[in-house]
Amino acid sequence: MRDTTGVRIARVYDAYQASDGYRVLVDRLWPRGVSRAAARIDDWAKNLAPSASLRRWFGHEPARFEAFRRFYIEELLSNPAAEEDRRRVLAHPMVTLLYAASTTKHNHAIVLREFLIRGGATAES
């Protein structure tokens, strides 16, 4: 997903692009079947990932996505470590958020991208 905002998202399994800029893995767990060399990540921002319990509850069920969005944003807003990661990531002019989920329409990277673009404000506003 490309945008003029300087924050894009891609699956970690997608091929590296020279235009990716600063590549940040935003999953709490390392993705299966991907070597660190192949991933070509610059940063692993675990604090920007949803909690394990929220991730398990969501399970990438489309019907739960809007509720997941609200809970995830609440987690981000209440986590000082997430704010530190957000500032570090956004210090770069072009950022690609990497995630491992197989669904491209209902995943945390979509919510996180909105959150980052809005400067930490809720993605619901």
Side-chain angles (χ1 to χ4, degrees):
M1 172 180 279
R2 295 181 187 264
D3 196 281
T4 57
T5 60
V7 180
R8 61 177 79 157
I9 62 174
R11 290 190 71 228
V12 71
Y13 303 103
D14 294 345
Y16 167 82
Q17 302 290 317
S19 61
D20 282 348
Y22 193 69
R23 292 170 52 92
V24 182
L25 180 63
V26 293
D27 286 352
R28 199 164 295 273
L29 303 173
W30 188 263
R32 293 180 185 165
V34 176
S35 71
R36 292 185 188 264
R40 298 183 71 166
I41 67 165
D42 297 303
D43 195 350
W44 187 3
K46 295 178 189 180
N47 293 312
L48 293 177
S51 66
S53 60
L54 180 58
R55 180 180 49 81
R56 280 191 298 271
W57 172 82
F58 172 44
H60 300 285
E61 293 287 333
R64 293 182 178 172
F65 188 66
E66 290 309 313
F68 168 78
R69 178 190 307 268
R70 287 191 307 274
F71 294 141
Y72 180 32
I73 290 169
E74 287 174 14
E75 282 188 353
L76 290 167
L77 289 171
S78 65
N79 182 354
E83 177 60 20
E84 291 173 26
D85 282 359
R86 184 185 74 79
R87 289 179 190 206
R88 186 179 68 250
V89 166
L90 291 178
H92 302 273
M94 177 55 69
V95 175
T96 299
L97 305 175
L98 302 170
Y99 67 96
S102 60
T103 176
T104 58
K105 293 185 179 186
H106 300 101
N107 65 66
H108 71 285
I110 293 168
V111 178
L112 180 58
R113 178 180 176 275
E114 293 170 3
F115 182 82
L116 294 175
I117 288 170
R118 294 172 188 235
T122 65
E124 299 169 326
S125 51

